[in-house]
Amino acid sequence: FFFQAEDGIRDIGVTGVQTCALPISESVRLWFSDERFLPVGDSQRNDSALLAHPSASAAATIESVLGPDESHDVNAAAADYQARLQSAGVPKVAVVSIGPDGHVASIFPGHPLRRESAAVVRAITDSPKPPPVRVTWTVPLLIQCDTVLLLAAGDDKQEIVQRVLAGDEFLPATDLIGNSATLFTTAS
């Protein structure tokens, strides 16, 4: 993949460090569909690898979620990100990693946010995966993107990929299949 503004792709939703390795050109703006509510620059944040990589951070505009050093309330940080995203418009493309448990963004199997019907950015304070406090796009917001590239990297994702392709309704990743999502896997 190589995303550039000439393709009509100005904004891209990304999640996780693996998706940040995508080649990008100038004039592309990256939005994080999943971010840990930690201080900007913390190595556990999804945006930290991209912000630390000089060529990537110079090539793209990075729309980061506010951290607790900028907004003391995760709900306020989610509302701020929602307002900025709404102002820009939903990205045409979202690149989303599948977690080993079938989660996407910070939408986990069995979590109440999975039932969210609004296409919005939400705070999550009880993530089963540390750290527990995060900001995430809802599945309906991801589905609003014209194209969703669903990534499953590594052999440890083989079973979860099979379950997603079989239509396992317990898995949030399954919600994206059939809704403009294309699955890419490096699993054998």
Side-chain angles (χ1 to χ4, degrees):
F1 310 108
F2 186 76
F3 298 113
Q4 51 192 354
E6 293 80 25
D7 295 329
I9 298 172
R10 166 77 175 113
D11 294 274
I12 302 170
V14 297
T15 176
V17 175
Q18 293 167 330
T19 57
C20 295
L22 296 170
I24 52 175
S25 73
E26 295 176 4
S27 303
V28 171
R29 184 168 40 189
L30 298 177
W31 296 87
F32 287 84
S33 56
D34 170 37
E35 187 57 271
R36 295 154 177 96
F37 190 62
L38 297 168
V40 174
D42 188 294
S43 63
Q44 291 183 64
R45 285 179 59 107
N46 285 329
D47 66 3
S48 65
L50 197 56
L51 289 168
H53 196 280
S55 64
S57 59
T61 301
I62 301 166
E63 292 290 341
S64 295
V65 172
L66 298 177
D69 48 332
E70 302 163 304
S71 173
H72 296 292
D73 178 58
V74 68
N75 290 303
D80 170 79
Y81 211 57
Q82 170 73 29
R84 287 189 282 144
L85 184 62
Q86 221 166 9
S87 176
V90 175
K92 288 185 177 184
V93 175
V95 183
V96 182
S97 295
I98 300 175
D101 59 355
H103 81 270
V104 291
S106 279
I107 307 299
F108 294 89
H111 193 278
L113 267 178
R114 170 94 185 281
R115 295 186 300 273
E116 174 67 63
S117 61
V120 294
V121 178
R122 287 280 189 243
I124 177 172
T125 59
D126 58 351
S127 167
K129 180 180 175 186
V133 182
R134 299 161 173 250
V135 172
T136 188
W137 293 10
T138 60
V139 169
L141 181 55
L142 287 166
I143 290 171
Q144 280 191 355
C145 298
D146 292 341
T147 302
V148 178
L149 304 177
L150 197 54
L151 305 179
D155 287 336
D156 62 330
K157 305 274 178 75
Q158 187 173 18
E159 179 187 339
I160 211 70
V161 165
Q162 289 172 353
R163 288 176 58 194
V164 168
L165 292 175
D168 187 332
E169 293 183 13
F170 182 69
L171 305 175
T174 303
D175 297 340
L176 299 177
I177 299 295
N179 287 295
S180 300
T182 302
L183 176 65
F184 292 90
T185 180
T186 60
S188 323

